[in-house]
Amino acid sequence: MSRRKLQNRLLIAGGSALLLLAAVLAAIQLWLRPAGPPRWDEAAMKPVLSGLLEQVYAAFGQVDEFAIYDGIAAAVSEDLVTPLYLQRRAAQLHEEASGAATEILELHLLEVTPRARTPQGLLVDAVWQVQGRVGHGDHQHIRLNEYAAGLTLDESADGWQLTGFDLDSVQREESEPEFFDGLDLFGDGQ
């Protein structure tokens, strides 16, 4: 057999071996990868979603712009960070101009209903309440907002994130104003 024929046969055999190796590796990857998107498990997903919402609202409670942005970024996808950050900054500027101050007191996730699976996660309908204290000058009141939204949660190497947010409704309830202790209504020091 000539040297040239031997080289050709070796090249063909080496190429075939590489193709076979690539096919075996692809099969192993498919076998190791979970079949389809994550399975819905309400007991596991409710605390995940609650935790993500709490991270967003904790970020909203920050004053420093970088802390707000970084806090939001820890819970949501890159596509949602800027819109949520700009929404919070606009609210902050409004609060500063009006002399109002808001403090988040509690968040309660009331309902989580699976709607569909996505390639990386889940689409759910969620209802949650946020209770906060709103102060205006010399009085404050408690506000309870209830939100309903379609939320998309995707799992990445870094954990779960909110990747979609479609707000359906907001309901607000406000209590009577509570006057701050020590307010001198009569101006006589009593």
Side-chain angles (χ1 to χ4, degrees):
M1 181 182 310
S2 74
R3 186 174 195 176
R4 187 172 189 98
K5 282 186 178 182
L6 182 60
Q7 285 177 339
N8 284 342
R9 285 187 178 181
L10 287 174
L11 283 174
I12 292 171
S16 297
L18 285 175
L19 285 174
L20 180 62
L21 180 61
V24 168
L25 289 175
I28 289 172
Q29 282 183 327
L30 286 174
W31 183 69
L32 293 176
R33 186 175 58 188
R39 193 172 66 73
W40 173 258
D41 180 0
E42 186 172 357
M45 290 310 299
K46 194 168 182 178
V48 167
L49 179 55
S50 184
L52 291 171
L53 290 171
E54 287 172 5
Q55 282 182 291
V56 170
Y57 283 99
F60 284 1
Q62 299 296 315
V63 177
D64 178 72
E65 292 181 47
F66 294 109
I68 296 167
Y69 189 91
D70 291 343
I72 293 169
V76 305
S77 68
E78 207 172 287
D79 295 340
L80 289 180
V81 175
T82 299
L84 285 175
Y85 169 77
L86 292 175
Q87 177 185 356
R88 179 57 194 144
R89 281 299 293 147
Q92 256 184 334
L93 293 173
H94 176 73
E95 289 174 359
E96 290 170 8
S98 67
T102 305
E103 175 189 4
I104 303 297
L105 301 174
E106 291 184 77
L107 182 138
H108 296 285
L109 183 58
L110 303 175
E111 297 175 27
V112 181
T113 307
R115 194 169 10 149
R117 293 190 171 155
T118 67
Q120 286 79 34
L122 303 163
L123 176 61
V124 301
D125 289 324
V127 177
W128 69 97
Q129 291 179 334
V130 179
Q131 184 180 40
R133 184 184 339 265
V134 181
H136 304 274
D138 61 349
H139 72 278
Q140 63 183 357
H141 56 274
I142 302 296
R143 177 180 291 163
L144 182 68
N145 291 348
E146 184 171 295
Y147 300 90
L151 303 174
T152 306
L153 292 90
D154 285 353
E155 189 173 26
S156 69
D158 297 331
W160 288 96
Q161 287 188 321
L162 289 169
T163 58
F165 185 93
D166 185 21
L167 187 63
D168 295 325
S169 69
V170 179
Q171 295 178 348
R172 290 194 166 106
E173 279 183 38
E174 298 198 32
S175 65
E176 293 296 316
E178 298 173 5
F179 289 94
F180 293 124
D181 292 336
L183 180 64
D184 186 2
L185 294 176
F186 303 105
D188 60 4
Q190 297 180 355

